Each structure stands twice: as C-alpha cells, then as structure tokens.
Amino acid sequence: MYFFTLAVTNFTMQYLHNIGAYFLMIAEMFRKPTKWSVMRTLILKDVDDLIIGSLGIVAFISFFVGGVVTIQTALNISNPLIPKYLIGFATRQSIVLEFAPTFISIIMAGKVGSFITSSIGTMRVTEQIDALEVMGVNALNYLVFPKFIALMLYPFVISIAMFLGILGGLIAVKFGGFGTVEDYILGIQTDFTPFHITYAFIKTFVFAFILATIPSFYGFYMKGGALEVGKASTTSFVWTSVVIILLNYILTQLLLS
Amino acid sequence: MIDVKNIQKSFGDAHILKGISTTFEKGKTSLVIGQSGSGKTVFLKCLLGLFSPEQGSISYDGKIYSELTDAQKRNLRSEIGMVFQGSALFDSMTIMENVMFPLRLFTKQNKSEMEDRADFVLKRVNLEDAHHKMPSEASGGMQKRVAIARAIVNNPKYLFCDEPNSGLDPKTAIVIDNLIQEITDEYNITTVINSHDMNSVMEIGEKIVFLKDGLKAWEGSKETIFKTDNEVVTNFVYSSNLFKKVRKMYLNENE
C-alpha cells in the first residue's frame, strides 16, 4: 500500500510539475522578443510548413469524410416520412460543429504536432537551442512564438475543411443516388444558426494555441538522443489529443448548453 | 580577459564544480582539459552564462556577469562566439545564412553588407564555394569551419570552443586547431577551448587548465606540461605509449 501511494504521489507530482513548466514556457514565450526582421522570416516559414503544408491532407480527408457522413446518414434514414433534406442538414451540423474543428485538430496533432516536437527536439539534441541561447536569443520566443502566430491562420484551414466536407457530401448525394442536389442544398440551409460558426471558430482558435504550444513544450524540454525525439513526438501527440478532447467538451458545455 | 573566482556548481546532490579559479588572458588560446566527467562542459557552460554558478564569480574584462542587467548581458553575448562540439549549425539555413545569422541579430547592416562580411569570414576559414550548401551537404571538417566562421563573424571579444576536433581526422583536426590559433592572434580575442585531444594541447595550448573531479588540478602551458611531475596530469596526458615516448624524447633533448 505504501509503495502504491508513493507511486501515485510521484506520478501526480510529475504531472503537476509538467503543467507548471508548460505555463512558465508560455509566459517566457512572450518575453524578450526576437528582432522583427528575423521573426518575420520565421513566421512566413512556419505559415508555409504548418498551414500551407497541411492543406492537401486536410482537403483530402474533409472531402471524403464529408461524403461518408452523407452516405451513412442517408442509409440510416429509411423511414419515408423523414424528409430527404435532413441528409444535408445532418451533414452540415456534423461537419461544422465537430468534424472540421475537432476531428481535423486531432489529425493536425499528428501531422503538425509531431513535426513541431521532432524539429524542436532535434534542435535540442544537436545543440542548436544552446547556440541560440549563447547568442542571447530567447529560444522559446524564437522557436514557439512564430508557430503560435502561424497557427492563428488555422481557422482558414478549418473553413476549407468545412467547405470541402459539405461539398464531398453533395457529390456523394449526386453520384450515389441518395437524394437530389436540391434537397441536399435545402438541408444545408435549414435552421442555420450563425452562432454555430462562431462556436466552431472559438474552438479552432483554442485548438490552434494547443497545437502550437504542447508539441513545442515536449520538443523544447526533451532530454536524450534520437530515440527520445521519437518518444517525445508520440507523447506530444497523445497529450495534444487528450487536451483537445477535454477542451472540446468544456467549450461545448460553456458555449452551447 | 576572463577572470574566474572560486566557482561552484551542483545538480541536486552531485557537486560538479567544487571551487575553480583561473584567468584566461586576451590574445591567448587557453585549453581546459580533463577526463570525461571532470566538469569541463559544466565549467564552459558557466563561462557562457548557460548555467549560473551557486558561488564564485566570472568577470569579463572587469564586468562581473552575475551583476549585469539583462540588457548588459545581451550586449556581452553579442561579443561571444561559440563553436559547439557538433557544430550546431541551423539545419534549416544554408551555410551563408548560418554565418549571417549573428549579424542579423546584432547589427543593423543591410543584406549586401552582411553578405560581404559573411563572404569575408568564409574565405578566412577557407570555404569559398560552399555558400549555398545546406549544413547536411557539408563534411564534418567543413561544418566545423562554418561554425568557426559563424562564431567570428561579429568580431567577438571572446571565443569558446567545445571539443572542436571531435570526430575529425588528425589532419583536419590540426587545420582547425591552427585556424583557431590564427584567429585568436589576428583578432586579439580571448579563446577558451574544451578539449580531450592531446595533439591540440601540444599544438596550441598557450595556457592549459587541467580539471579533475570538479577541481583545478594543475595549470600551465604546452611547454611546462612536458616538465610537470604532477602525477595526475602525467597519467592523463601521457596515457598513450606515443605520448610517453614523445615526453621522454623532449625531456632528454632539454636536459
């Protein structure tokens, strides 16, 4: 019993320590800004790596998942009394409220998050972060802040995901014979609540912050060599996903209930 | 000149530096040597301000580092050049961009001025055709030379090198040693090198500080290290048969 209590205490202390270190990292990220001419280049590079570089996979997944959501909805509406326009309505609600902001963020935790952790982790292993610090650069500002700014364009990615998801549904309806295009378009216009878009983008901004900072935390504070870089990437994906799911629940409760 | 007074540093229960005092003079190449785990890297990181010693002081030309404001520390850092063991070149930048990086951070030069300066130092380290290569395309010796070029591009007053010869063949290692020595003389800078390499000790050690178990066990120069009867130093420096023979020959010649 003693050892069990000791293990639980150590485990809890370790997580509390990490949470504290994470918030200290965020505070440090805004201190001692890097020279603007250098920062501008870093931001543009991160926009290219994190946003532009993610468009392809996001577009592909959104389009096909939109189609699948539509097919599954259509197949589950077998009662002739249920109007066909509900297929479009259900697709829109699923994509705007959950699929685009949350599901795409989980995918981005894998793609962008592991990229951030492994690139910063490799810089740690190869002493590039030490080199920055010796030069008097605030390494957290230099490495994490541009990613945070670049990911403020993340709602742009999610807008594309929403559009392509609904478009994928439209194509599935048209070519799958699950209803008419007119019904689908009527469905996506039915009971439209503008606040749902606001809710989706509030979530998106919060998830963008998480996507920039948690992977950076695991990369920046990693110790060891190449193997540990791989482990840090995995851990960062797990925790980014967990935090996104938890915050999704909390924000939904706060904003929609 | 860098003046180190009684610095001590611990990590948890491990007492790594137990009170080291020494002086590194301007225009001289000083080497810090010792076995693995003797505290050399921690000592160097304390000199660089990456670790804060718990006791003692480090002063750069009379300015005590721990008493400087953040702005003064930043100014001091702009006067420091560092060559890391693994070169630590930024792998997302070309060789030219790596060398220009300190200029972008610390100067208000325009792009062509920065390019001219980077071009000059790359020529100085005998790298004339590598400007647009990525670090991964350069050999180990080239990477070390780029790291030296980056360290000196901003005309530093202090140059630190952490095992600059590790992983290099003996011929390239001598080239790097001589390059550091020439740069130290040419720009009259204070150079401190962490090294395991006994060739470097004999080649460029104008001052040698030997660390053992977190303490300074001996200090002298490449001339006096041949004559010392300090057993700790001789066991370390002359551990190979070759160096034992070299020492014997030197002592016989100078008797």
Side-chain angles (χ1 to χ4, degrees), chain B residues 37-119:
Chain B
S38 58
K40 294 192 306 291
T41 301
V42 174
F43 180 65
L44 192 71
K45 287 194 173 180
C46 285
L47 293 183
L48 288 164
L50 292 177
F51 291 154
S52 306
E54 283 120 22
Q55 279 191 39
S57 67
I58 300 165
S59 60
Y60 292 82
D61 291 319
K63 293 174 278 187
I64 298 174
Y65 186 79
S66 57
E67 292 174 3
L68 299 178
T69 62
D70 281 352
Q72 287 170 325
K73 281 180 184 169
R74 192 172 153 78
N75 277 340
L76 178 65
R77 284 181 185 282
S78 71
E79 297 173 343
I80 290 176
M82 172 75 193
V83 178
F84 284 87
Q85 190 174 355
S87 302
L89 300 177
F90 301 118
D91 43 23
S92 58
M93 299 179 191
T94 63
I95 282 174
M96 186 70 160
E97 286 166 344
N98 263 285
V99 177
M100 280 164 57
F101 187 71
L103 299 175
R104 291 178 68 199
L105 281 179
F106 296 118
T107 71
K108 289 178 179 169
Q109 292 176 6
N110 62 37
K111 200 178 172 201
S112 70
E113 287 172 328
M114 285 192 275
E115 280 173 351
D116 286 348
R117 174 69 187 155
D119 201 39

Coordinates of all heavy atoms in Angstrom, one line a residue, chain B residues 37-119:
Chain B
G37 N 33.6 13.7 -17.4 CA 33.0 13.7 -16.1 C 33.8 14.6 -15.1 O 33.4 14.7 -13.9
S38 N 34.9 15.3 -15.6 CA 35.7 16.1 -14.7 C 35.0 17.5 -14.5 O 35.5 18.2 -13.6 CB 37.1 16.3 -15.2 OG 37.0 16.8 -16.5
G39 N 34.0 17.8 -15.3 CA 33.3 19.1 -15.1 C 33.6 20.1 -16.2 O 33.3 21.3 -16.0
K40 N 34.3 19.7 -17.2 CA 34.7 20.6 -18.3 C 33.5 21.3 -18.9 O 33.5 22.5 -19.1 CB 35.5 19.9 -19.4 CG 36.8 19.3 -19.0 CD 37.6 18.9 -20.2 CE 36.9 18.0 -21.2 NZ 36.7 16.6 -20.6
T41 N 32.6 20.5 -19.3 CA 31.4 21.1 -20.0 C 30.6 22.0 -19.1 O 30.2 23.1 -19.6 CB 30.5 19.9 -20.6 OG1 31.4 19.2 -21.5 CG2 29.4 20.5 -21.4
V42 N 30.4 21.6 -17.9 CA 29.7 22.5 -16.9 C 30.4 23.8 -16.7 O 29.9 24.9 -16.7 CB 29.5 21.7 -15.6 CG1 28.8 22.6 -14.6 CG2 28.6 20.5 -15.8
F43 N 31.8 23.7 -16.7 CA 32.6 24.8 -16.5 C 32.4 25.8 -17.7 O 32.2 27.0 -17.5 CB 34.1 24.4 -16.4 CG 35.1 25.5 -16.2 CD1 35.1 26.3 -15.0 CD2 36.0 25.8 -17.2 CE1 36.0 27.3 -14.9 CE2 36.9 26.8 -17.0 CZ 36.9 27.6 -15.8
L44 N 32.5 25.2 -18.9 CA 32.3 26.0 -20.1 C 30.9 26.7 -20.1 O 30.8 27.9 -20.5 CB 32.6 25.2 -21.3 CG 32.7 26.0 -22.6 CD1 34.0 26.7 -22.7 CD2 32.7 25.1 -23.8
K45 N 29.9 25.9 -19.7 CA 28.5 26.4 -19.8 C 28.4 27.5 -18.7 O 27.6 28.5 -18.9 CB 27.5 25.3 -19.6 CG 27.4 24.5 -20.9 CD 26.2 23.6 -20.9 CE 26.1 22.9 -22.3 NZ 25.0 22.0 -22.4
C46 N 29.1 27.4 -17.6 CA 29.1 28.5 -16.6 C 29.7 29.8 -17.2 O 29.2 30.9 -17.0 CB 29.8 28.1 -15.3 SG 28.9 27.0 -14.3
L47 N 30.8 29.6 -17.9 CA 31.5 30.7 -18.6 C 30.6 31.4 -19.6 O 30.6 32.6 -19.7 CB 32.8 30.3 -19.3 CG 34.0 29.8 -18.5 CD1 35.2 29.5 -19.4 CD2 34.4 30.8 -17.4
L48 N 29.8 30.6 -20.3 CA 28.9 31.1 -21.3 C 27.6 31.7 -20.7 O 26.8 32.3 -21.4 CB 28.5 30.0 -22.3 CG 29.6 29.5 -23.2 CD1 29.2 28.1 -23.8 CD2 29.8 30.5 -24.3
G49 N 27.4 31.5 -19.4 CA 26.2 32.0 -18.8 C 25.0 31.1 -19.0 O 23.9 31.5 -18.7
L50 N 25.2 29.9 -19.5 CA 24.1 28.9 -19.7 C 23.7 28.3 -18.3 O 22.6 27.9 -18.1 CB 24.4 27.8 -20.7 CG 24.6 28.3 -22.2 CD1 25.0 27.1 -23.0 CD2 23.3 28.9 -22.7
F51 N 24.7 28.2 -17.4 CA 24.5 27.7 -16.1 C 24.9 28.9 -15.1 O 25.9 29.5 -15.4 CB 25.3 26.5 -15.7 CG 24.9 25.2 -16.4 CD1 25.8 24.2 -16.6 CD2 23.6 25.0 -16.8 CE1 25.4 23.0 -17.3 CE2 23.2 23.9 -17.5 CZ 24.1 22.9 -17.7
S52 N 24.2 29.1 -14.0 CA 24.6 30.1 -13.0 C 25.3 29.4 -11.9 O 24.7 28.5 -11.3 CB 23.3 30.8 -12.5 OG 22.6 31.3 -13.5
P53 N 26.5 29.7 -11.6 CA 27.2 29.1 -10.5 C 26.6 29.5 -9.2 O 26.1 30.6 -9.1 CB 28.6 29.6 -10.6 CG 28.7 30.5 -11.8 CD 27.4 30.7 -12.3
E54 N 26.6 28.6 -8.2 CA 26.0 28.9 -6.9 C 26.9 29.8 -6.1 O 26.4 30.6 -5.3 CB 25.7 27.6 -6.1 CG 24.5 26.8 -6.6 CD 24.9 25.4 -7.1 OE1 26.0 24.9 -6.7 OE2 24.1 24.9 -7.9
Q55 N 28.2 29.6 -6.3 CA 29.1 30.5 -5.6 C 30.2 30.9 -6.6 O 30.4 30.3 -7.6 CB 29.8 29.8 -4.4 CG 28.9 29.7 -3.2 CD 29.6 29.2 -2.0 OE1 30.8 29.5 -1.8 NE2 28.9 28.4 -1.2
G56 N 30.9 32.0 -6.2 CA 32.0 32.5 -7.0 C 31.5 33.5 -8.1 O 30.3 33.8 -8.2
S57 N 32.5 34.0 -8.9 CA 32.1 35.0 -9.9 C 32.9 34.8 -11.1 O 34.0 34.2 -11.1 CB 32.4 36.4 -9.3 OG 33.7 36.6 -9.1
I58 N 32.4 35.3 -12.2 CA 33.1 35.2 -13.5 C 33.0 36.6 -14.1 O 31.9 37.2 -14.2 CB 32.4 34.3 -14.5 CG1 32.3 32.9 -14.0 CG2 33.0 34.3 -15.9 CD1 31.4 31.9 -14.7
S59 N 34.2 37.2 -14.3 CA 34.1 38.6 -14.9 C 34.8 38.6 -16.2 O 35.8 38.0 -16.5 CB 34.8 39.6 -13.9 OG 36.1 39.3 -13.7
Y60 N 34.1 39.4 -17.1 CA 34.6 39.6 -18.5 C 35.2 41.0 -18.6 O 34.4 42.0 -18.5 CB 33.5 39.4 -19.5 CG 32.9 38.0 -19.6 CD1 32.0 37.6 -18.6 CD2 33.3 37.2 -20.6 CE1 31.5 36.3 -18.7 CE2 32.8 35.9 -20.7 CZ 31.9 35.5 -19.8 OH 31.4 34.2 -19.9
D61 N 36.5 41.1 -18.7 CA 37.1 42.4 -18.7 C 36.6 43.3 -17.6 O 36.3 44.5 -17.8 CB 36.9 43.1 -20.1 CG 37.7 42.4 -21.2 OD1 38.9 42.0 -20.9 OD2 37.2 42.2 -22.3
G62 N 36.6 42.8 -16.4 CA 36.2 43.5 -15.2 C 34.7 43.6 -14.9 O 34.3 44.0 -13.8
K63 N 33.9 43.2 -15.9 CA 32.4 43.2 -15.6 C 32.0 41.8 -15.1 O 32.1 40.8 -15.8 CB 31.7 43.5 -16.9 CG 31.9 44.9 -17.5 CD 31.3 45.1 -18.9 CE 32.2 44.5 -19.9 NZ 31.8 44.8 -21.3
I64 N 31.5 41.8 -13.8 CA 31.0 40.6 -13.2 C 29.7 40.2 -13.8 O 28.7 40.9 -13.8 CB 31.0 40.7 -11.7 CG1 32.4 41.0 -11.1 CG2 30.4 39.4 -11.1 CD1 32.4 41.3 -9.7
Y65 N 29.7 39.0 -14.4 CA 28.5 38.5 -15.2 C 27.2 38.6 -14.4 O 26.2 39.1 -14.8 CB 28.7 37.1 -15.8 CG 27.6 36.7 -16.7 CD1 27.6 37.1 -18.0 CD2 26.6 35.9 -16.2 CE1 26.6 36.8 -18.9 CE2 25.6 35.5 -17.1 CZ 25.6 35.9 -18.4 OH 24.5 35.5 -19.2
S66 N 27.3 38.0 -13.1 CA 26.0 37.9 -12.3 C 25.5 39.3 -11.9 O 24.3 39.4 -11.5 CB 26.3 37.1 -11.1 OG 27.4 37.6 -10.4
E67 N 26.3 40.3 -12.0 CA 25.8 41.7 -11.6 C 25.3 42.5 -12.8 O 24.9 43.6 -12.6 CB 27.0 42.4 -10.9 CG 27.3 41.8 -9.6 CD 28.6 42.5 -8.9 OE1 29.1 43.4 -9.5 OE2 29.0 42.0 -7.9
L68 N 25.4 41.9 -14.0 CA 25.0 42.7 -15.2 C 23.4 42.7 -15.3 O 22.8 41.7 -14.9 CB 25.6 42.1 -16.5 CG 27.1 42.0 -16.6 CD1 27.5 41.4 -17.9 CD2 27.6 43.5 -16.5
T69 N 22.9 43.7 -15.9 CA 21.4 43.8 -16.2 C 21.2 42.9 -17.4 O 22.2 42.5 -18.1 CB 21.0 45.2 -16.5 OG1 21.7 45.6 -17.7 CG2 21.3 46.1 -15.4
D70 N 19.9 42.6 -17.7 CA 19.6 41.8 -18.9 C 20.1 42.4 -20.2 O 20.7 41.7 -21.0 CB 18.1 41.6 -19.0 CG 17.6 40.5 -18.0 OD1 18.4 39.9 -17.4 OD2 16.3 40.4 -17.9
A71 N 20.0 43.7 -20.3 CA 20.5 44.4 -21.5 C 22.0 44.3 -21.6 O 22.6 44.1 -22.7 CB 20.1 45.9 -21.5
Q72 N 22.7 44.4 -20.5 CA 24.2 44.3 -20.5 C 24.6 42.9 -20.8 O 25.6 42.7 -21.5 CB 24.7 44.7 -19.1 CG 24.7 46.2 -18.9 CD 25.0 46.6 -17.4 OE1 24.7 45.9 -16.5 NE2 25.7 47.7 -17.3
K73 N 23.8 41.9 -20.3 CA 24.1 40.5 -20.6 C 24.0 40.3 -22.1 O 24.8 39.6 -22.7 CB 23.2 39.6 -19.8 CG 23.6 39.4 -18.4 CD 22.7 38.4 -17.7 CE 23.1 38.3 -16.2 NZ 22.1 37.6 -15.4
R74 N 22.9 40.9 -22.7 CA 22.6 40.7 -24.1 C 23.8 41.3 -24.9 O 24.3 40.7 -25.9 CB 21.3 41.4 -24.4 CG 20.8 41.1 -25.8 CD 19.4 41.6 -26.0 NE 19.1 41.9 -27.4 CZ 18.8 40.9 -28.3 NH1 18.7 39.7 -27.9 NH2 18.6 41.2 -29.5
N75 N 24.3 42.5 -24.5 CA 25.4 43.1 -25.1 C 26.6 42.2 -25.1 O 27.4 42.1 -26.0 CB 25.7 44.5 -24.5 CG 24.9 45.6 -25.1 OD1 24.3 45.4 -26.1 ND2 24.7 46.7 -24.3
L76 N 26.9 41.7 -23.9 CA 28.0 40.8 -23.7 C 27.9 39.6 -24.6 O 28.9 39.2 -25.2 CB 28.1 40.4 -22.2 CG 29.3 39.5 -21.9 CD1 30.6 40.2 -22.1 CD2 29.2 38.9 -20.4
R77 N 26.7 39.0 -24.7 CA 26.6 37.8 -25.5 C 26.9 38.1 -27.0 O 27.3 37.3 -27.7 CB 25.1 37.3 -25.4 CG 24.9 36.6 -24.1 CD 23.5 36.0 -24.0 NE 23.3 35.4 -22.7 CZ 23.7 34.2 -22.4 NH1 24.4 33.5 -23.2 NH2 23.4 33.7 -21.2
S78 N 26.6 39.4 -27.4 CA 26.9 39.7 -28.8 C 28.5 39.8 -29.0 O 28.9 39.8 -30.2 CB 26.3 41.1 -29.2 OG 27.0 42.1 -28.5
E79 N 29.2 39.8 -27.9 CA 30.7 39.8 -28.0 C 31.3 38.4 -27.9 O 32.5 38.2 -27.8 CB 31.3 40.7 -26.9 CG 30.8 42.2 -27.1 CD 31.3 43.0 -25.9 OE1 31.6 42.5 -24.9 OE2 31.3 44.3 -26.1
I80 N 30.4 37.4 -27.8 CA 30.8 36.0 -27.6 C 30.6 35.2 -28.8 O 29.5 35.2 -29.4 CB 30.1 35.3 -26.4 CG1 30.5 36.0 -25.0 CG2 30.3 33.8 -26.3 CD1 29.8 35.5 -23.8
G81 N 31.6 34.4 -29.2 CA 31.4 33.4 -30.3 C 31.6 32.0 -29.7 O 32.4 31.8 -28.8
M82 N 30.8 31.1 -30.2 CA 30.9 29.8 -29.6 C 30.9 28.7 -30.8 O 30.1 28.8 -31.7 CB 29.7 29.5 -28.7 CG 29.5 28.1 -28.2 SD 30.7 27.7 -26.9 CE 30.5 25.9 -26.8
V83 N 31.8 27.8 -30.6 CA 31.9 26.6 -31.6 C 31.5 25.4 -30.8 O 32.2 25.0 -29.8 CB 33.3 26.5 -32.2 CG1 33.3 25.3 -33.1 CG2 33.7 27.7 -32.9
F84 N 30.4 24.8 -31.1 CA 29.9 23.6 -30.4 C 30.6 22.4 -30.9 O 31.0 22.3 -32.0 CB 28.4 23.5 -30.5 CG 27.7 24.5 -29.6 CD1 27.4 25.8 -30.1 CD2 27.3 24.2 -28.4 CE1 26.7 26.7 -29.3 CE2 26.6 25.1 -27.6 CZ 26.4 26.4 -28.0
Q85 N 30.5 21.3 -30.0 CA 31.1 20.1 -30.4 C 30.6 19.5 -31.7 O 31.3 19.0 -32.5 CB 30.8 19.1 -29.2 CG 31.6 17.8 -29.3 CD 31.4 16.9 -28.1 OE1 30.8 17.3 -27.1 NE2 31.9 15.8 -28.1
G86 N 29.3 19.6 -31.8 CA 28.6 19.0 -33.1 C 28.4 20.1 -34.1 O 27.5 19.9 -34.9
S87 N 29.1 21.2 -33.9 CA 28.9 22.4 -34.8 C 27.7 23.2 -34.6 O 27.7 24.4 -34.6 CB 29.0 22.1 -36.3 OG 30.2 21.4 -36.6
A88 N 26.5 22.5 -34.3 CA 25.2 23.2 -34.0 C 24.9 24.2 -35.1 O 24.4 25.3 -34.8 CB 25.3 23.9 -32.6
L89 N 25.1 23.9 -36.3 CA 24.6 24.7 -37.4 C 23.1 24.6 -37.5 O 22.6 23.5 -37.3 CB 25.3 24.4 -38.7 CG 26.8 24.5 -38.7 CD1 27.4 24.0 -40.1 CD2 27.3 25.9 -38.4
F90 N 22.4 25.7 -37.9 CA 21.0 25.6 -38.1 C 20.7 24.9 -39.4 O 21.0 25.4 -40.5 CB 20.4 27.0 -38.0 CG 20.7 27.7 -36.8 CD1 21.4 28.9 -36.7 CD2 20.2 27.2 -35.5 CE1 21.7 29.5 -35.6 CE2 20.5 27.8 -34.3 CZ 21.3 29.0 -34.4
D91 N 20.1 23.7 -39.3 CA 20.0 22.9 -40.5 C 18.9 23.3 -41.4 O 18.8 22.8 -42.5 CB 19.8 21.4 -40.1 CG 18.9 21.1 -39.0 OD1 18.0 22.0 -38.8 OD2 19.0 20.1 -38.3
S92 N 18.1 24.3 -41.0 CA 17.1 24.9 -42.0 C 17.7 26.0 -42.8 O 17.0 26.6 -43.6 CB 15.8 25.3 -41.2 OG 16.2 26.3 -40.3
M93 N 18.9 26.4 -42.5 CA 19.5 27.5 -43.2 C 20.7 27.0 -44.0 O 21.4 26.1 -43.7 CB 20.1 28.6 -42.2 CG 19.1 29.2 -41.3 SD 19.9 30.3 -40.2 CE 18.6 30.6 -39.0
T94 N 21.0 27.8 -45.1 CA 22.2 27.5 -45.9 C 23.5 27.9 -45.1 O 23.3 28.6 -44.0 CB 22.3 28.3 -47.2 OG1 22.3 29.6 -46.9 CG2 21.1 28.0 -48.1
I95 N 24.6 27.5 -45.5 CA 25.9 27.9 -44.8 C 26.0 29.4 -44.8 O 26.3 29.9 -43.7 CB 27.1 27.2 -45.6 CG1 27.1 25.7 -45.2 CG2 28.4 27.9 -45.3 CD1 28.1 24.9 -45.9
M96 N 25.7 30.1 -45.8 CA 25.8 31.5 -45.9 C 24.8 32.1 -44.8 O 25.2 33.0 -44.1 CB 25.4 32.0 -47.3 CG 25.6 33.5 -47.5 SD 27.3 33.9 -47.5 CE 27.3 35.5 -48.3
E97 N 23.6 31.6 -44.8 CA 22.6 32.1 -43.8 C 23.0 31.9 -42.4 O 22.8 32.7 -41.5 CB 21.2 31.5 -44.1 CG 20.5 32.0 -45.3 CD 19.4 31.2 -45.8 OE1 19.2 30.0 -45.4 OE2 18.6 31.7 -46.6
N98 N 23.6 30.7 -42.1 CA 24.1 30.4 -40.8 C 25.2 31.4 -40.4 O 25.1 31.9 -39.2 CB 24.8 29.0 -40.8 CG 23.9 27.9 -40.3 OD1 23.6 27.8 -39.1 ND2 23.3 27.1 -41.2
V99 N 26.1 31.8 -41.3 CA 27.1 32.7 -40.9 C 26.6 34.1 -40.8 O 27.0 34.9 -39.9 CB 28.3 32.7 -42.0 CG1 29.3 33.7 -41.7 CG2 28.9 31.3 -42.1
M100 N 25.5 34.4 -41.5 CA 25.0 35.8 -41.4 C 24.1 36.0 -40.2 O 23.7 37.1 -39.8 CB 24.1 36.1 -42.7 CG 25.0 36.5 -43.9 SD 24.0 36.4 -45.4 CE 22.6 37.4 -45.1
F101 N 23.7 34.8 -39.6 CA 22.7 34.9 -38.5 C 23.0 35.8 -37.4 O 22.2 36.7 -37.0 CB 22.4 33.4 -38.0 CG 21.3 33.4 -37.0 CD1 20.0 33.5 -37.5 CD2 21.5 33.1 -35.7 CE1 18.9 33.5 -36.6 CE2 20.5 33.1 -34.8 CZ 19.2 33.2 -35.2
P102 N 24.3 35.8 -36.8 CA 24.6 36.7 -35.7 C 24.5 38.2 -36.2 O 24.1 39.1 -35.4 CB 26.0 36.3 -35.3 CG 26.2 34.9 -35.8 CD 25.4 34.8 -37.0
L103 N 24.8 38.4 -37.5 CA 24.8 39.8 -38.0 C 23.3 40.3 -38.0 O 23.0 41.4 -37.7 CB 25.4 39.9 -39.4 CG 26.9 39.5 -39.5 CD1 27.3 39.5 -40.9 CD2 27.7 40.5 -38.7
R104 N 22.4 39.3 -38.4 CA 21.0 39.7 -38.5 C 20.5 40.0 -37.1 O 19.6 40.9 -36.9 CB 20.2 38.6 -39.1 CG 20.5 38.4 -40.6 CD 19.7 37.2 -41.1 NE 18.2 37.5 -41.1 CZ 17.3 36.5 -41.2 NH1 17.6 35.3 -41.3 NH2 16.0 36.8 -41.2
L105 N 21.0 39.3 -36.1 CA 20.5 39.5 -34.7 C 21.1 40.8 -34.1 O 20.3 41.5 -33.4 CB 21.0 38.4 -33.8 CG 20.2 37.0 -33.9 CD1 20.8 36.1 -33.0 CD2 18.7 37.3 -33.5
F106 N 22.4 41.0 -34.3 CA 23.0 42.1 -33.5 C 23.4 43.4 -34.3 O 23.9 44.3 -33.6 CB 24.3 41.5 -32.9 CG 24.0 40.4 -31.9 CD1 24.5 39.1 -32.1 CD2 23.3 40.6 -30.8 CE1 24.3 38.1 -31.2 CE2 23.0 39.6 -29.9 CZ 23.5 38.3 -30.1
T107 N 23.3 43.4 -35.6 CA 23.7 44.6 -36.3 C 22.5 45.1 -37.1 O 21.5 44.5 -37.3 CB 24.9 44.3 -37.3 OG1 24.4 43.5 -38.4 CG2 26.0 43.5 -36.6
K108 N 22.8 46.4 -37.6 CA 21.7 47.0 -38.5 C 22.2 47.0 -39.9 O 21.8 47.8 -40.7 CB 21.4 48.4 -37.9 CG 20.7 48.4 -36.6 CD 20.5 49.8 -36.1 CE 19.7 49.7 -34.8 NZ 19.6 51.0 -34.1
Q109 N 23.1 46.1 -40.2 CA 23.7 46.1 -41.6 C 22.6 45.7 -42.6 O 21.7 44.9 -42.2 CB 24.8 45.1 -41.7 CG 26.0 45.5 -40.9 CD 27.1 44.4 -40.9 OE1 27.0 43.5 -41.6 NE2 28.2 44.7 -40.1
N110 N 22.7 46.2 -43.8 CA 21.8 45.8 -44.9 C 22.3 44.4 -45.4 O 23.4 44.0 -45.1 CB 21.5 46.8 -45.9 CG 22.8 47.2 -46.7 OD1 23.6 46.3 -46.9 ND2 23.0 48.4 -47.0
K111 N 21.4 43.9 -46.3 CA 21.7 42.5 -46.7 C 23.1 42.4 -47.4 O 23.8 41.4 -47.2 CB 20.6 42.0 -47.7 CG 20.6 40.5 -47.8 CD 19.4 40.0 -48.7 CE 19.6 38.5 -48.9 NZ 18.9 38.0 -50.0
S112 N 23.4 43.4 -48.3 CA 24.7 43.2 -49.0 C 25.9 43.4 -48.1 O 26.9 42.7 -48.3 CB 24.7 44.2 -50.2 OG 24.8 45.5 -49.7
E113 N 25.7 44.2 -47.1 CA 26.9 44.4 -46.1 C 27.0 43.1 -45.4 O 28.2 42.6 -45.1 CB 26.5 45.5 -45.1 CG 26.7 46.9 -45.7 CD 26.2 48.0 -44.8 OE1 25.2 47.7 -44.0 OE2 26.7 49.1 -44.9
M114 N 25.9 42.5 -45.0 CA 26.0 41.2 -44.3 C 26.6 40.1 -45.1 O 27.5 39.3 -44.7 CB 24.6 40.7 -43.8 CG 24.1 41.5 -42.6 SD 22.7 40.8 -41.8 CE 21.4 41.4 -42.8
E115 N 26.2 40.1 -46.4 CA 26.8 39.1 -47.3 C 28.3 39.3 -47.5 O 29.0 38.3 -47.6 CB 26.0 39.2 -48.7 CG 24.7 38.4 -48.6 CD 23.8 38.6 -49.9 OE1 24.2 39.5 -50.7 OE2 22.8 38.0 -50.0
D116 N 28.7 40.6 -47.6 CA 30.1 40.8 -47.8 C 30.9 40.3 -46.6 O 32.0 39.7 -46.8 CB 30.3 42.4 -47.9 CG 29.9 42.9 -49.3 OD1 29.6 42.0 -50.2 OD2 29.8 44.1 -49.5
R117 N 30.4 40.6 -45.4 CA 31.1 40.2 -44.2 C 31.1 38.7 -44.1 O 32.2 38.1 -43.8 CB 30.4 40.8 -43.0 CG 30.9 40.4 -41.6 CD 32.3 40.9 -41.3 NE 32.9 40.3 -40.1 CZ 34.1 40.2 -39.8 NH1 35.0 40.6 -40.7 NH2 34.5 39.6 -38.7
A118 N 30.0 38.0 -44.4 CA 29.9 36.6 -44.3 C 30.9 35.9 -45.3 O 31.6 35.0 -45.0 CB 28.5 36.1 -44.5
D119 N 30.9 36.6 -46.5 CA 31.8 36.1 -47.6 C 33.3 36.2 -47.1 O 34.1 35.3 -47.3 CB 31.6 37.0 -48.8 CG 32.0 36.4 -50.0 OD1 31.8 35.2 -50.2 OD2 32.6 37.1 -50.9

